[in-house]
Amino acid sequence: MNFQYWQPQIEKMPRSELEALQLHKLKEEIGFALRTSFYQSRLEAAGIRNPDDIKTVDDLRRIPFTTKSDLREGFPYGFLSIPKEEVVRLHASSGTTGIPTTIYFSRDDIKRWSTYMARCIFGSGCTKNDVFQNMIGYGLFTGGLGLHQGGEEVGMMVIPAGSGNTARQFKLMQDFGTTVVHATPSFLLHIESKMKEAGVRRENLSLKRAFAGAEPYSEDTRRRIESLLNIDVFNSYGLSEMNGPGVAFECQCKNGMHIWEDGYIAEIIDPKTFEPVKDGEVGELVLTILCREATPILRYRTRDLTGFFTEPCPCGRTHRRLRRITGRSDDMLIINGVNVFPSQIEEVIMGMKEVGNNYLIVVEKEGALDRLTVKTEVGPNIFMDDARPLNALKERIRETLQASISISPRVELHESGSMPVSEGKAVRVQDTRPKDV
Ligand code: DLL
């Protein structure tokens, strides 16, 4: 195979040099963290008053983990380490309740993020000759702009298509000869299932590759997309707290995602004991960002379950490879790539006085896509035989939920006291999507 590297000297750096670089960048990042109101007291409590108090990368373990709820407590500016006028952008993702996780970027932060993305994209075999159709959400979500910047950095022609609207996606592919696409794996399958209906023939398209991420999927799903569309699919991992996509990405070997270790320190811990797992074992991924000055985040509990491959990659990159994410250690749902916490849904429906006490969140597959249904009882004073107010209530619940979680759910109303109540812990989520990871 003909491997290509965007920054060969860093991507193939000997481990000892890479570890020295990590230490240097960690100290720098600690310097940024000491300027934030959130970390100043935390780091002082851990005996870290200046960056030189960090002597080895392992010293990081003196610092407590950072969680999503810490980020919520620090909202809006508790994690900001540079003057606001130096911030050029923010991105946000859903929190467990209405407060989003908000990340700020300086101009240099955006440049660094683009470089990491360019490493990923170029490493998959793309060049400036490619036409890249970015079929994922732009906006506060990091997937759109993240890959967009990386694509431009490589010099590809980027089509900022955004998600949805299959007819328009096909038109763009045909009009401009798209060779690479980026989407959630479920959207890639959906697109394929709509091809025939749209009268599009695969042989008239120029597609060669797809980047797929933002939600879990199995090796079988990858193979299915690859054979249906006759393309190579590369797994792409990231999260907004760590910039977004560009944290880890597959190279042409398509066997595990290289995590850019000059940009991130990865630990894998046992989510119960918080101790590191043995090399190669699966646990929860904890990340420290080394490539962002505006919003330093140290030892972030991603809640994603994964492990490292222990053997070196034939591509020659020295940055270790993460296994496919096999699940999460919390209850976050990912519905068509959108993160949703059951607590966000509960907050909305329990805040409405017409809604009764019992509810159930159902997630299922409908074709290739995910479908969310919220079933809830109405209060005892609401009569089920009067359709007009019921329909109005349903619509109000749907709209309020959509505003909160960015997904339009199906809403089902049930008579007060009619939904089954479980004897032990209430079961609030029924996720019937096949778990084939
Ligand atoms: O999903 C960033 C992203 C965009 C990654 C586009 C890849 C492509 P968040 O919305 O903050 O950011 O969601 C992050 O999504 O903690 C994982 O649980 C899940 N996730 C992301 N990529 C993968 C993947 C973006 N390749 C959360 N496999 C993460 C499995 C993934 N899960």
Side-chain angles (χ1 to χ4, degrees):
M1 212 178 283
N2 241 345
F3 297 115
Q4 55 182 35
Y5 312 90
W6 190 247
Q7 293 178 304
Q9 66 288 20
I10 299 180
E11 293 175 45
K12 294 192 280 181
M13 187 175 260
R15 288 294 308 176
S16 57
E17 277 177 46
L18 187 54
E19 280 155 23
L21 181 59
Q22 273 193 324
L23 178 59
H24 171 77
K25 292 180 106 182
L26 175 61
K27 286 168 106 168
E28 215 170 57
E29 203 67 42
I30 295 284
F32 302 140
L34 282 165
R35 287 190 219 140
T36 67
S37 56
F38 179 84
Y39 281 119
Q40 203 171 38
S41 50
R42 257 203 188 189
L43 290 173
E44 275 185 12
I48 300 165
R49 284 189 179 73
N50 75 64
D52 285 333
D53 290 330
I54 296 282
K55 309 273 185 242
T56 68
V57 170
D58 270 352
D59 283 343
L60 185 61
R61 291 180 51 198
R62 286 161 52 193
I63 303 167
F65 297 116
T66 304
T67 61
K68 218 173 182 60
S69 71
D70 290 330
L71 294 177
R72 191 174 67 217
E73 271 165 41
F75 182 84
Y77 294 122
F79 285 80
L80 183 64
S81 72
I82 59 170
K84 230 161 92 188
E85 61 270 24
E86 301 302 323
V87 173
V88 299
R89 195 195 296 166
L90 68 78
H91 279 284
S93 93
S94 36
T96 44
T97 64
I99 300 177
T101 302
T102 310
I103 304 296
Y104 304 94
F105 296 81
S106 70
R107 194 177 299 282
D108 284 342
D109 290 339
I110 297 278
K111 276 194 203 143
R112 279 185 285 264
W113 182 18
S114 308
T115 306
Y116 285 106
M117 281 292 7
R119 279 190 205 167
C120 301
I121 293 171
F122 197 67
S124 75
C126 293
T127 67
K128 66 198 284 283
N129 298 325
D130 278 294
V131 177
F132 174 39
Q133 188 165 326
N134 197 11
M135 308 192 292
I136 214 161
Y138 279 67
L140 290 176
F141 179 58
T142 53
L145 281 168
L147 268 287
H148 183 110
Q149 296 154 188
E152 286 189 352
E153 182 81 14
V154 168
M156 310 196 284
M157 179 166 93
V158 184
I159 309 175
S163 60
N165 199 339
T166 46
R168 192 188 53 188
Q169 302 288 3
F170 288 132
K171 175 116 180 36
L172 290 169
M173 284 178 196
Q174 288 168 316
D175 287 350
F176 302 110
T178 300
T179 56
V180 194
V181 290
H182 171 218
T184 57
S186 47
F187 191 66
L188 288 173
L189 282 171
H190 178 65
I191 274 263
E192 196 281 330
S193 70
K194 294 281 168 192
M195 255 167 132
K196 213 172 183 179
E197 204 177 292
V200 178
R201 293 166 66 105
R202 170 63 186 93
E203 52 278 23
N204 296 335
L205 300 178
S206 314
L207 287 185
K208 285 192 294 221
R209 294 184 182 83
F211 309 136
E215 65 185 15
Y217 62 115
S218 64
E219 200 53 46
D220 284 343
T221 300
R222 182 225 299 264
R223 274 194 226 108
R224 176 185 291 228
I225 303 170
E226 289 191 324
S227 76
L228 286 170
L229 286 173
N230 192 20
I231 53 176
D232 280 309
V233 173
F234 297 86
N235 197 2
S236 153
Y237 170 78
L239 57 158
S240 351
E241 293 81 355
M242 294 289 130
N243 282 355
V247 175
F249 210 91
E250 283 181 327
C251 65
Q252 281 157 291
C253 299
K254 295 195 298 186
N255 186 20
M257 302 176 283
H258 291 281
I259 175 160
W260 301 122
E261 293 187 79
D262 59 322
Y264 302 90
I265 295 177
E267 302 168 69
I268 311 262
I269 61 159
D270 178 327
K272 292 206 180 75
T273 64
F274 306 133
E275 288 302 315
V277 300
K278 287 202 201 82
D279 208 18
E281 277 180 11
V282 169
E284 182 185 319
L285 177 66
V286 171
L287 291 174
T288 297
I289 193 159
L290 303 178
C291 56
R292 192 173 59 210
E293 60 181 343
T295 321
I297 297 188
L298 311 172
R299 303 196 82 204
Y300 183 68
R301 288 193 60 187
T302 67
R303 300 296 194 149
D304 290 319
L305 300 177
T306 180
F308 280 116
F309 283 107
T310 47
E311 66 280 12
C313 184
C315 77
R317 287 180 181 81
T318 48
H319 301 240
R320 286 177 296 171
R321 284 167 302 149
L322 286 179
R323 293 173 187 280
R324 203 171 268 288
I325 312 293
T326 53
R328 290 187 54 91
S329 65
D330 66 0
D331 59 356
M332 186 179 91
L333 299 162
I334 306 186
I335 303 172
N336 295 322
V338 179
N339 303 349
V340 179
F341 288 94
S343 51
Q344 288 176 282
I345 297 181
E346 171 165 330
E347 195 176 71
V348 167
I349 55 181
M350 289 295 126
M352 294 180 151
K353 61 181 187 331
E354 300 89 337
V355 167
N357 295 335
N358 205 356
Y359 70 91
L360 183 67
I361 297 164
V362 180
V363 193
E364 56 208 329
K365 274 281 175 208
E366 196 172 77
L369 296 179
D370 301 329
R371 171 43 97 174
L372 169 68
T373 306
V374 175
K375 301 182 180 186
T376 178
E377 286 181 2
V378 292
N381 305 327
I382 309 265
F383 296 103
M384 293 303 285
D385 42 11
D386 199 353
R388 282 229 333 250
L390 277 184
N391 285 339
L393 174 61
K394 232 188 204 175
E395 187 50 22
R396 194 149 59 81
I397 296 175
R398 196 195 57 73
E399 275 175 7
T400 322
L401 278 171
Q402 182 169 18
S404 161
I405 60 175
S406 314
I407 292 180
S408 174
R410 232 177 242 159
V411 177
E412 271 182 25
L413 297 180
H414 294 262
E415 197 166 352
S416 174
S418 69
M419 284 174 65
V421 180
S422 56
E423 283 175 8
K425 267 173 179 267
V427 178
R428 298 297 194 194
V429 179
Q430 206 175 72
D431 189 346
T432 62
R433 291 174 295 182
K435 296 249 174 326
D436 54 357
V437 178

